[in-house]
Amino acid sequence: MPTVGVKRDFLFNALGRTYTDEEFDELCFEFGLELDEITSEKEIISREQGDSKASGASDLILYKIDVPANRYDLLCLEGLVRGLQVFKNKLEAPRYRRVSPDGGEPQRLIITKETAAVRPHAVAAVLRNITFTQERYDSFIELQEKLHQNICRKRSLVAIGTHDLDAISGPFTYTAKAPGDICFRPLNQTKEYTAIQLMSLYKTDSHLRHYLPIIEDKPVYPVIYDSNGVVLSMPPIINGDHSRISLQTKNVFIECTATDLTKAKIVLDMMVTMFSEYCAQPFTVEQAEVVYPDGKTCVYPELAYRKEKLSGEFVNRKVGIRESTDRIAQLLTRMCLLSQPTGVGDEIEVEIPPTRPDVIHACDIMEDAAIAYGFNNITRTTPLTYTVANQFPLNKLTELLRQDLAAAGFTEALNFALCSQEDIADKLGKKISETRAIHISNPKTAEFQVARTTLLPGLLKTVAANRKMPLPLKLFEISDVVLKDESKDVGARNSRRFCAIYYNKTPGFEVIHGLLDRTMQLLDVKPARGEGYHIQAADDSTFFPGRCAEIFVGGKSVGRLGVLHPDVVSRFELTMPCSALEMDVEPFLGFTAEVLLTHDVPMQETFKHQFPARSQSRPALPSRPPTTKTVFGDMSSQAGLEALDGFLADRSYMEGFTASQADAAVFDAIPSPPPRAFCHLRRWWSHIKSFQTERARLPPAKSQFVLPPAPPASDAGEDDVDLFGSDDEEESTEAARIREQRLADYAAKKSKKPALVAKSSILLDVKPWDDETDMAKLEECVRSVAMEGLLWGQAKLVPVGYGIRKLQIGCVVEDEKVGTDLLEEAITAFEEYVQSVDVAAFNKI
Amino acid sequence: MVYFSSPTFVAFGVRDTLNMADVLARRSCGLGHVRFEKTTSHPASIGASSMADTGVLEALLQRVEKADGGVDSLAAAAGLGVDHQVIVGAVKSLQALGDVISAELRSSKHWELTEEGTETAEQGSHEARVFSSIPAEGLPQAELMKLSFGKIGFSKAMSNNWIRVDKSHEGGPRIFRTVESIQDQVREKLLLVKRGDAAQLDEKEKNELKKRKLLAEVTVKSYWIAKGSSFSTTITKQETELTPEMIATGSWKEKKFKPYNFEAMGVAPDCGHLHPLMKVRTQFRQIFLEMGFSEMPTNNFIESSFWNFDSLFQPQQHPARDQHDTFFLSDPALAQEFPPEYLERVKKVHSEGGYGSQGYKYDWKIEEARKNILRTHTTAVSARMLYKLAQQEKFTPVKYFSIDRVFRNETLDATHLAEFHQIEGVVADYGLTLGDLMGVLHQFFTKLGITKLRFKPAYNPYTEPSMEVFSYHEGLKKWVEVGNSGVFRPEMLLPMGLPEDVSVIAWGLSLERPTMIKYGINNIRELVGHKVNLQMVYDSPICRLDS
């Protein structure tokens, strides 16, 4: 949010009255500004540079006012006063006019094609017969600076140059040249420099050095010359000294060069609308012509007034007020949006002035009406929206677990999701490449290099920072870690983990193990191999050899626990033994009856959008298929209905025990509500009718009851089909084709649903007996293991030491069909090659 | 144990003496020696005297009874032949029994022999010892200097003219007595002090001895013990705790029990603790659930710029999308997949407008939208949820909330970290008004115990109108900003496919700020992250936001 500093007394003078600080604060609040600070130049200097420097400074009261980032028209005293005066009904918004010069041609700015390589756009205008005072001049310079910092994005999008028109002579040329070929005396310098020299001169300039990178590495630099070859400016860096403006300047030439033309036009409009007030003819701006390389000529400033029409009802409905059309027009006019009712219904015509480029939609106009009405005058109402609340199941489980883990004597820690590579790799005795960590490209310090892949380092750092606390320290955290995951649209996903550590004079493995048992008890998992949980010895470089175990639940690894390796302990600047546990939480989510929300969005849109309104009736029933023919006969005939009635006598639905597309299809085939005589049919018909709104979501049909319309050419004339006469030979070939097609579609659709098949990606370490084992043969053996639901992936050889290499091979398995035990067994069967098999990584997909 | 302030002396010993000793030690710097009378010769440790049996107590009481007006604890100690510290303990014990005695703390100065002074009093002054060690035939000077007192005693005896040196004596300088006998006045003076008759010496004499480090002036703290209102010379032995045996035998009826010291703290229970920020989070979740809001799945810290910014109609040149404000990823650097039709609509509304909007009129680039970032707000998830809502066949109203981490690559200070928790609420329904947003906010903040609210027009790229929420802070006596809110722009909602007359109102605030205010924490690093002060976690009360 930009802050504008204005001298209080000048402000009050311009506003035509004085305010107390509180009154002015209140006015700002109402208008959407914020009186951020009341200070003085003296105070600022003494705060920033010390009292000694401040002795000569002015102690006039300064108001620092925060302005919304989209209101460029309020970035200077002139604009603020105009906005507030119009808001307070003390002034009518001025009308800004573009005029031709009195006799003679308008100023021309000719753009050459070379600029395309660096900064292709330029606009220009002239403020004629302007009278500067010191205050106005300061404000003029300050506005340029504010615009540069905000809409101009630190001059990268737009750069403004203002020049004393009487010191230069048009037409002007905007071109781009090699830096060595540009030579001029820049603002506030006594001699000429080439552009190359300038760039090194300004390297150390606290203000200008920030803009150098915008053009630094470009082959050519933008430059503007007058007809005598005088350099006006080298945008976006510096103006020439020759055309500098001063308090005596009467005619100002303004040019804006840009990479974004829309913004250049806005910036130019802002400069001229704000300061044309001080021209001999207030609020008039002399136009300038800009000639493009293709010969096209445009006249600037645009100073475009745009008309929008909206209804008073729209404003009332969106804001929640009930104001007359006239009154709404008045409200808008107070926001510098000149408005009047058109007389057609409650229509209002709103004129958006060039000072308000922030108004791009009717909702912006509506907001201005609400501001003028006064946000705090709006009646606060309660929406009638009826909803049933659901917790996100993973968070629900987390909340419940946290409570009971604290009850188990462990204290909750809360650590950062971002950390250094060292934290998650080196310090834990791991390689960063095996962590699956996401990497941040622009960290300001090492603390923000990666997102954590484990909660352990955070807890160890918490202990290190709290070494003065009495032992033992028992800490836990349940939070998300982030892992790369190619199956996600962004290539990464969160994984909820539970981590706990015990830090004391003894390792306390039994304490951590006890916590695991307690956690499993809380999660209702019994200690048993197979369906329950068990732990078994594992190798992990983070843990002390022989003191690490892997946790298996239902045969799948969910985490590890053990006594930390002494190296890990010391790397975290700890001195005592420590045991730890870290496991996944998500496998314990289980079944939830509530609708499961995920942040994954469907990539294919299922519906075309027509933006239906509420007033619109429910979507019309899908058009009736042109057939009434079903396997029960013709539904327009009594016989057909009777057959269906009989069929439904002992059935609730056409298929199975839930409504499906089969019901919907047959329903559609019945041309009119069935007679009461067919009570079963009638009951079914009413029931299916109630599904109309959600029928699209009904499960697909398994078999086809409704027959497609017979092609007109083949008139089979079979009006009365046998009951259940849907035998293949009796179906028309077309019907069979369609049916098969649909079944195939259904099967394909079904198979695409990935959620139905739980899969895991496993990385196996297969170790040979010695360095003479034929690794190629070993890999061949491993790959020869074939099971249903097993897919081998890439493999590589990783040196273990003494010339021995292990085979690291990935595979994807369907959890239901392939277990790691099974896999290991099958591989270790190749005894002559394989010494051992370990699961290096196991991840659910 | 801590409940017993009295007889066992331990409570006294642990709490009061230490404090007093501390105070006294500090005072001693200025006033010379100030201490309780305690001699090293009497190793009455606290432990030993804690066993101070009723014998000492009763003996003391008898003394008090006989004395007229009271006794001094020092005198009592001397009289009873025990260490003064034992008497101090006895006084404390008796005080704890009620008004048996009254004890007034007094301090007095008196002169006392130093270690060297004690030696002198026993064995004579150095000069006297020098004199007496010289036989009639004299002593070689070298011989004399070998004696421990030789050097000091020699010079003193010389100045007293008790001895002389014959430097020309064969075999080196030799010392002879010059007088027949001497009077060891130093020793006599010291003996006077030792007997407690220091008053007989004048100041000059005392100071001279002090200079010789034979005397020291000591301030002694003692109690003046007098009878209390319920004075008695016998004490009943008191029981400390009720035992199963007493209950079984009923003996508790006859026993007197030591009173508890209710000033002491109890023993801290051995328990775990929840983190204060998480406790506040739980309460905010509770509030949303009470209001019928469903929780959004915000477990995706990595987000594409598309969902974080573009889908919210935040232009690609917006400063928030700068390297300075947002964490970008180098791996995985780019998002791979977007709903293609929606992406086109978003591109169009940014670059050309549509849906009644002028758009931003700039060259929208897919490359920018694909850049992966650490999400800067949970509104990215709201955008996904609203898009999914728009994909439903029929629109149904929703109320959503989330509380989760967001990330900003900002300058860090005492109240800002690179990651914090954002609380967000969203309501989508037909015809919601700005008044509805204010009403919902009013209800929400009322549940936080904040009832005085007002709204300031503000700017936010994806809401219009936008309002900052201010509440009146009774302590600061001014309005402070407590949150941000607004109505999502049509340029955000309509490309998603939501019906035109559906409005979506939303608001957000940080979790850390209310937590810091709630728990009086000034530095955010003490609250979040590994530098957390665990003692603060242990000590933080339960979170009741509305009280």
Side-chain angles (χ1 to χ4, degrees):
Chain A
M1 201 186 273
T3 305
V4 181
V6 292
K7 294 196 173 108
R8 184 190 64 180
D9 297 347
F10 283 97
L11 178 70
F12 288 173
N13 190 33
L15 287 173
R17 62 160 283 193
T18 59
Y19 293 84
T20 65
D21 292 342
E22 289 73 30
E23 281 168 348
F24 191 71
D25 185 39
E26 201 63 26
L27 174 63
C28 285
F29 193 94
E30 207 185 327
F31 192 58
L33 304 170
E34 197 171 334
L35 180 54
D36 188 46
E37 199 187 352
I38 302 165
T39 178
S40 71
E41 222 162 274
K42 195 171 186 172
E43 214 178 301
I44 295 172
I45 297 174
S46 91
R47 190 174 52 209
E48 288 170 358
Q49 302 167 28
D51 290 334
S52 55
K53 294 267 174 73
S55 59
S58 148
D59 47 10
L60 276 178
I61 301 287
L62 270 184
Y63 276 175
K64 295 268 182 186
I65 300 171
D66 279 352
V67 174
N70 62 342
R71 291 298 298 270
Y72 317 119
D73 58 321
L74 303 176
L75 288 175
C76 59
L77 178 85
E78 289 74 13
L80 269 174
V81 168
R82 228 173 279 163
L84 287 170
Q85 290 292 74
V86 174
F87 183 62
K88 298 300 284 178
N89 259 331
K90 288 185 184 155
L91 186 78
E92 269 185 35
R95 227 183 146 73
Y96 308 100
R97 285 187 302 128
R98 184 172 77 187
V99 295
S100 308
D102 286 342
E105 291 295 302
Q107 296 296 335
R108 288 165 74 95
L109 178 63
I110 298 153
I111 306 179
T112 71
K113 61 180 191 301
E114 290 81 6
T115 58
V118 48
R119 208 171 174 83
H121 305 290
V123 293
V126 173
L127 288 173
R128 188 64 76 176
N129 285 319
I130 194 166
T131 309
F132 279 125
T133 62
Q134 187 65 48
E135 293 309 323
R136 293 172 182 182
Y137 180 83
D138 291 348
S139 180
F140 187 69
I141 302 297
E142 188 63 22
L143 176 63
Q144 290 178 54
E145 182 55 23
K146 291 283 181 240
L147 289 170
H148 276 151
Q149 292 309 313
N150 292 286
I151 181 175
C152 304
R153 302 290 301 114
K154 302 196 169 76
R155 301 192 188 179
S156 65
L157 300 182
V158 188
I160 311 162
T162 53
H163 311 277
D164 186 340
L165 185 57
D166 299 319
I168 45 179
S169 67
F172 307 101
T173 309
Y174 175 41
T175 184
K177 283 188 169 183
D181 298 342
I182 302 171
C183 186
F184 65 105
R185 183 155 63 95
L187 206 55
N188 301 327
Q189 295 293 336
T190 49
K191 63 180 186 93
E192 290 198 343
Y193 292 83
T194 66
I196 297 170
Q197 291 167 327
L198 277 180
M199 294 303 265
S200 66
L201 176 70
Y202 292 140
K203 270 276 180 293
T204 52
D205 187 296
S206 63
H207 178 59
L208 294 176
R209 67 190 162 95
H210 302 292
Y211 309 122
L212 304 181
I214 303 172
I215 55 166
E216 210 164 26
D217 53 353
K218 298 280 197 282
V220 288
Y221 290 178
V223 61
I224 302 176
Y225 292 99
D226 84 343
S227 59
N228 301 320
V230 172
V231 170
L232 273 66
S233 64
M234 185 176 84
I237 313 294
I238 189 81
N239 286 354
D241 194 64
H242 184 81
S243 58
R244 69 180 301 164
I245 61 165
S246 68
L247 284 183
Q248 281 69 47
T249 300
K250 298 308 290 177
N251 302 302
V252 181
F253 179 68
I254 304 173
E255 40 85 4
C256 301
T257 56
T259 52
D260 181 323
L261 182 59
T262 313
K263 294 213 160 51
K265 291 179 193 170
I266 293 173
V267 168
L268 183 66
D269 279 354
M270 283 305 149
M271 287 302 296
V272 299
T273 50
M274 291 302 117
F275 285 91
S276 55
E277 186 176 352
Y278 303 131
C279 289
Q281 283 202 349
F283 306 116
T284 62
V285 185
E286 185 180 306
Q287 66 191 39
E289 284 178 8
V290 173
V291 184
Y292 283 87
D294 61 3
K296 197 177 76 181
T297 302
C298 291
V299 178
Y300 293 108
E302 283 197 337
L303 291 184
Y305 282 80
R306 189 175 91 240
K307 298 241 163 120
E308 294 273 359
K309 282 180 183 159
L310 52 82
S311 73
E313 186 271 337
F314 168 78
V315 172
N316 281 328
R317 177 160 48 87
K318 289 287 180 188
V319 179
I321 50 176
R322 289 176 178 193
E323 293 298 311
S324 68
T325 308
D326 280 335
R327 170 106 166 95
I328 291 170
Q330 285 165 16
L331 290 174
L332 290 171
T333 304
R334 275 177 51 209
M335 299 302 288
C336 291
L337 302 174
L338 185 65
S339 304
Q340 51 201 13
T342 58
V344 182
D346 61 349
E347 193 178 62
I348 303 171
E349 189 177 68
V350 185
E351 188 183 58
I352 291 115
T355 47
R356 292 297 306 275
D358 59 298
V359 178
I360 57 173
H361 191 278
C363 69
D364 297 301
I365 300 172
M366 174 266 288
E367 181 189 54
D368 273 17
I371 293 173
Y373 182 85
F375 275 11
N376 296 296
N377 298 326
I378 298 168
T379 310
R380 297 171 191 182
T381 48
T382 305
L384 300 172
T385 309
Y386 174 83
T387 50
V388 173
N390 291 313
Q391 302 186 48
F392 180 48
L394 184 57
N395 290 1
K396 189 176 180 177
L397 177 65
T398 303
E399 284 286 297
L400 292 170
L401 263 184
R402 284 175 52 243
Q403 299 282 343
D404 272 316
L405 289 168
F410 280 71
T411 292
E412 186 175 33
L414 178 67
N415 288 298
F416 299 126
L418 304 184
C419 60
S420 66
Q421 288 188 13
E422 200 191 9
D423 284 343
I424 56 167
D426 308 3
K427 282 181 165 181
L428 295 180
K430 306 260 176 182
K431 288 200 188 82
I432 188 71
S433 53
E434 41 187 69
T435 57
R436 293 203 291 153
I438 63 101
H439 292 259
I440 293 168
S441 66
N442 57 334
K444 280 181 187 152
T445 68
E447 287 168 76
F448 310 118
Q449 286 174 325
V450 291
R452 61 180 169 181
T453 54
T454 154
L455 302 181
L456 186 59
L459 288 184
L460 289 170
K461 282 155 86 178
T462 306
V463 171
N466 284 279
R467 273 174 301 197
K468 61 180 193 303
M469 298 298 292
L471 294 175
L473 282 173
K474 299 196 276 185
L475 300 178
F476 82 95
E477 181 170 4
I478 305 184
S479 273
D480 284 350
V481 300
V482 182
L483 302 171
K484 279 198 276 193
D485 181 347
E486 286 184 1
S487 71
K488 292 284 177 178
D489 57 347
V490 296
R493 68 177 164 87
N494 284 20
S495 172
R496 180 93 17 121
R497 292 277 178 81
F498 159 49
C499 185
I501 60 171
Y502 178 81
Y503 181 71
N504 202 359
K505 288 175 184 145
T506 56
F509 179 80
E510 69 286 358
V511 179
I512 282 296
H513 191 188
L515 182 69
L516 172 70
D517 293 336
R518 173 64 184 148
T519 308
M520 290 300 171
Q521 204 170 45
L522 292 168
L523 292 166
D524 200 15
V525 181
K526 302 276 180 294
R529 283 180 186 262
E531 280 309 293
Y533 77 96
H534 72 274
I535 63 173
Q536 72 184 42
D539 272 339
D540 190 315
S541 45
T542 303
F543 295 92
F544 198 43
R547 296 278 186 277
C548 171
E550 189 146 17
I551 308 160
F552 289 89
V553 173
K556 287 179 197 113
S557 167
V558 297
R560 283 179 184 180
L561 79 167
V563 177
L564 292 185
H565 197 286
D567 287 344
V568 173
V569 171
S570 6
R571 282 187 205 116
F572 283 93
E573 293 166 357
L574 296 175
T575 50
M576 307 271 176
C578 181
S579 50
L581 150 73
E582 179 157 9
M583 58 186 257
D584 284 324
V585 173
E586 281 159 63
F588 301 96
L589 261 182
F591 174 78
T592 167
E594 288 161 1
V595 184
L596 194 64
L597 286 174
T598 73
H599 47 258
D600 295 325
V601 299
M603 289 301 158
Q604 293 305 319
E605 292 188 356
T606 31
F607 300 99
K608 290 289 168 207
H609 299 287
Q610 296 142 7
F611 312 123
R614 179 162 48 171
S615 52
Q616 229 173 297
S617 60
R618 282 177 173 175
L621 296 180
S623 60
R624 190 172 298 286
T627 176
T628 54
K629 306 258 190 326
T630 70
V631 292
F632 305 103
D634 190 338
M635 284 300 130
S636 56
S637 73
Q638 284 291 315
L641 292 175
E642 194 176 342
L644 183 55
D645 186 56
F647 177 74
L648 288 167
D650 56 354
R651 286 176 172 86
S652 294
Y653 300 102
M654 298 304 297
E655 292 176 343
F657 304 101
T658 52
S660 67
Q661 294 298 347
D663 294 284
V666 176
F667 179 89
D668 289 341
I670 302 169
S672 57
R676 296 197 174 277
F678 302 126
C679 61
H680 306 300
L681 174 57
R682 182 82 187 179
R683 180 251 314 147
W684 170 87
W685 190 86
S686 306
H687 182 50
I688 299 306
K689 193 176 162 207
S690 72
F691 280 101
Q692 284 308 310
T693 52
E694 53 263 64
R695 59 179 287 159
R697 266 168 292 168
L698 293 177
K702 290 195 180 67
S703 48
Q704 195 185 23
F705 293 94
V706 179
L707 303 173
S714 71
D715 185 12
E718 38 178 332
D719 237 3
D720 284 314
V721 184
D722 295 347
L723 278 186
F724 310 109
S726 58
D727 292 339
D728 276 352
E729 65 268 21
E730 298 205 23
E731 254 180 43
S732 72
T733 50
E734 178 67 2
R737 195 188 61 75
I738 291 174
R739 193 178 99 136
E740 264 160 33
Q741 174 71 34
R742 286 187 184 169
L743 287 172
D745 283 354
Y746 173 59
K749 203 171 165 188
K750 197 173 174 184
S751 70
K752 269 183 202 159
K753 277 190 181 169
L756 293 176
V757 185
K759 286 186 186 173
S760 300
S761 149
I762 303 177
L763 195 63
L764 293 172
D765 277 350
V766 186
K767 291 180 190 133
W769 287 107
D770 52 37
D771 56 339
E772 286 170 15
T773 309
D774 182 347
M775 295 306 287
K777 186 75 190 156
L778 183 144
E779 182 174 345
E780 198 179 299
C781 289
V782 172
R783 287 191 186 277
S784 72
V785 173
M787 298 178 197
E788 198 189 335
L790 168 67
L791 196 65
W792 289 109
Q794 287 191 332
K796 62 175 175 181
L797 295 176
V798 182
V800 189
Y802 306 111
I804 303 178
R805 290 173 304 166
K806 65 180 176 184
L807 173 74
Q808 208 164 55
I809 186 163
C811 63
V812 174
V813 299
E814 289 180 26
D815 296 354
E816 289 294 311
K817 294 172 183 161
V818 184
T820 48
D821 294 351
L822 206 62
L823 210 51
E824 282 175 32
E825 213 169 274
I827 297 171
T828 40
F830 298 102
E831 281 172 4
E832 48 189 313
Y833 298 106
V834 180
Q835 185 199 19
S836 68
V837 179
D838 293 304
V839 177
F842 185 104
N843 293 291
K844 295 191 68 65
I845 300 179
Chain B
M1 227 22 189
V2 287
Y3 283 106
F4 300 104
S5 61
S6 52
T8 52
F9 195 41
V10 163
F12 164 73
V14 172
R15 297 189 152 265
D16 305 35
T17 10
L18 287 187
N19 291 343
M20 206 170 294
D22 202 17
V23 172
L24 296 176
R26 254 177 259 144
R27 254 192 234 153
S28 67
C29 312
L31 282 175
H33 297 77
V34 182
R35 58 171 171 81
F36 270 106
E37 187 71 6
K38 184 175 172 186
T39 52
T40 43
S41 60
H42 202 302
S45 71
I46 287 174
S49 52
S50 74
M51 295 302 132
D53 50 318
T54 45
V56 175
L57 298 180
E58 286 180 354
L60 180 62
L61 288 172
Q62 277 155 19
R63 248 163 201 276
V64 174
E65 188 186 27
K66 281 178 215 145
D68 209 6
V71 293
D72 186 79
S73 57
L74 278 173
L80 292 172
V82 294
D83 191 274
H84 184 236
Q85 199 69 7
V86 175
I87 300 297
V88 172
V91 169
K92 289 281 174 188
S93 303
L94 290 169
Q95 278 179 317
L97 293 176
D99 285 330
V100 179
I101 54 160
S102 73
E104 181 192 335
L105 193 61
R106 289 180 175 183
S107 68
S108 63
K109 282 185 180 178
H110 78 130
W111 290 92
E112 188 177 86
L113 300 188
T114 62
E115 208 170 316
E116 199 182 338
T118 312
E119 194 190 318
T120 307
E122 277 165 17
Q123 300 174 16
S125 64
H126 298 304
E127 56 270 33
R129 288 161 79 186
V130 164
F131 182 83
S132 56
S133 58
I134 299 173
E137 67 275 17
L139 191 72
Q141 189 174 12
E143 200 92 334
L144 177 69
M145 289 307 164
K146 281 180 195 157
L147 298 169
S148 63
F149 46 83
K151 207 169 181 180
I152 310 167
F154 170 75
S155 53
K156 271 284 170 194
M158 281 294 283
S159 67
N160 285 353
N161 287 324
W162 291 350
I163 54 170
R164 67 179 171 85
V165 185
D166 183 359
K167 287 194 177 161
S168 57
H169 199 278
E170 61 183 82
R174 205 173 174 91
I175 297 163
F176 298 94
R177 291 187 181 183
T178 52
V179 291
E180 282 301 305
S181 64
I182 51 146
Q183 194 188 359
D184 191 354
Q185 284 185 336
V186 172
R187 185 182 177 197
E188 281 161 18
K189 286 176 193 167
L190 289 176
L191 285 171
L192 274 178
V193 175
K194 199 180 178 188
R195 281 199 299 272
D197 295 331
Q200 290 182 24
L201 298 176
D202 59 28
E203 284 303 305
K204 198 181 153 201
E205 288 171 317
K206 281 188 272 197
N207 282 329
E208 202 169 291
L209 291 171
K210 189 180 171 187
K211 246 183 231 166
R212 287 189 66 174
K213 295 201 169 76
L214 299 173
L215 269 193
E217 194 172 22
V218 177
T219 305
V220 175
K221 299 248 168 184
S222 63
Y223 282 105
W224 184 257
I225 309 162
K227 289 177 193 170
S229 57
S230 51
F231 183 79
S232 148
T233 52
T234 53
I235 329 159
T236 338
K237 191 170 181 308
Q238 291 174 312
E239 295 296 335
T240 51
E241 284 293 16
L242 200 55
T243 62
E245 290 74 28
M246 292 177 195
I247 295 171
T249 60
S251 65
W252 58 269
K253 290 175 200 158
E254 278 75 49
K255 311 249 182 206
K256 270 195 96 172
F257 289 85
K258 291 173 191 172
Y260 276 174
N261 170 17
F262 293 111
E263 301 296 314
M265 298 293 282
V267 176
D270 186 15
C271 61
H273 310 263
L274 291 174
H275 192 280
L277 192 78
M278 297 294 99
K279 291 199 266 200
V280 179
R281 186 182 72 175
T282 302
Q283 288 314 303
F284 272 100
R285 278 185 95 241
Q286 191 63 37
I287 287 171
F288 277 113
L289 292 171
E290 284 167 10
M291 291 175 71
F293 282 66
S294 283
E295 192 168 28
M296 289 188 273
T298 45
N299 56 338
N300 59 330
F301 295 165
I302 310 301
E303 188 54 278
S304 59
S305 295
F306 178 78
W307 287 107
N308 195 83
F309 296 120
D310 295 288
S311 72
L312 300 173
F313 197 52
Q314 196 151 349
Q316 295 190 327
Q317 312 85 351
H318 194 278
R321 302 180 72 154
D322 252 21
Q323 296 275 325
H324 301 293
D325 292 283
T326 300
F327 287 114
F328 288 84
L329 297 199
S330 56
D331 181 24
L334 299 175
Q336 297 303 328
E337 210 180 357
F338 306 101
E341 296 146 283
Y342 174 50
L343 183 101
E344 277 307 313
R345 294 195 295 270
V346 169
K347 175 180 179 173
K348 189 157 177 287
V349 77
H350 276 251
S351 51
E352 300 164 31
Y355 311 99
S357 175
Q358 301 287 310
Y360 291 125
K361 298 196 176 103
Y362 71 98
D363 188 10
W364 188 89
K365 293 192 175 72
I366 175 80
E367 294 77 20
E368 200 59 44
R370 282 186 67 191
K371 286 182 182 168
N372 272 337
I373 58 166
L374 280 155
R375 67 166 175 228
T376 63
H377 47 197
T378 50
T379 318
V381 177
S382 308
R384 284 175 179 263
M385 300 310 293
L386 289 169
Y387 174 71
K388 284 181 84 171
L389 179 66
Q391 303 315 299
Q392 285 183 19
E393 186 190 13
K394 184 172 174 289
F395 174 82
T396 48
V398 293
K399 294 195 285 205
Y400 286 142
F401 82 94
S402 65
I403 309 170
D404 213 334
R405 290 180 201 239
V406 297
F407 305 85
R408 309 262 169 102
N409 195 9
E410 281 174 347
T411 319
L412 314 180
D413 60 32
T415 52
H416 292 86
L417 290 174
E419 52 187 280
F420 63 95
H421 288 75
Q422 187 190 339
I423 302 170
E424 180 165 340
V426 177
V427 186
D429 200 353
Y430 288 107
L432 294 175
T433 67
L434 193 58
D436 286 338
L437 173 57
M438 293 175 176
V440 173
L441 285 168
H442 181 79
Q443 289 173 333
F444 177 78
F445 280 99
T446 301
K447 282 181 174 282
L448 300 177
I450 295 171
T451 48
K452 269 191 185 171
L453 280 190
R454 66 173 189 168
F455 303 96
K456 180 172 102 59
Y459 169 68
N460 190 338
Y462 47 88
T463 55
E464 190 81 11
S466 311
M467 310 189 297
E468 279 169 8
V469 189
F470 281 72
S471 89
Y472 190 75
H473 194 288
E474 296 293 347
L476 298 172
K477 296 274 174 243
K478 66 173 189 180
W479 293 89
V480 293
E481 194 191 331
V482 290
N484 238 311
S485 66
V487 183
F488 283 137
R489 292 190 71 99
E491 291 100 323
M492 166 185 165
L493 301 179
L494 296 179
M496 288 177 171
L498 286 167
E500 203 162 359
D501 46 3
V502 164
S503 291
V504 183
I505 58 179
W507 74 98
L509 56 155
S510 94
L511 179 64
E512 278 78 358
R513 215 170 100 88
T515 307
M516 287 172 78
I517 294 168
K518 177 89 201 157
Y519 288 104
I521 296 164
N522 293 322
N523 185 348
I524 195 164
R525 284 166 196 280
E526 273 185 31
L527 176 68
V528 189
H530 58 268
K531 288 181 185 151
V532 66
N533 177 356
L534 278 180
Q535 194 62 49
M536 177 277 295
V537 176
Y538 293 167
D539 296 345
S540 72
I542 54 171
C543 172
R544 284 170 294 177
L545 290 172
D546 53 353
S547 63

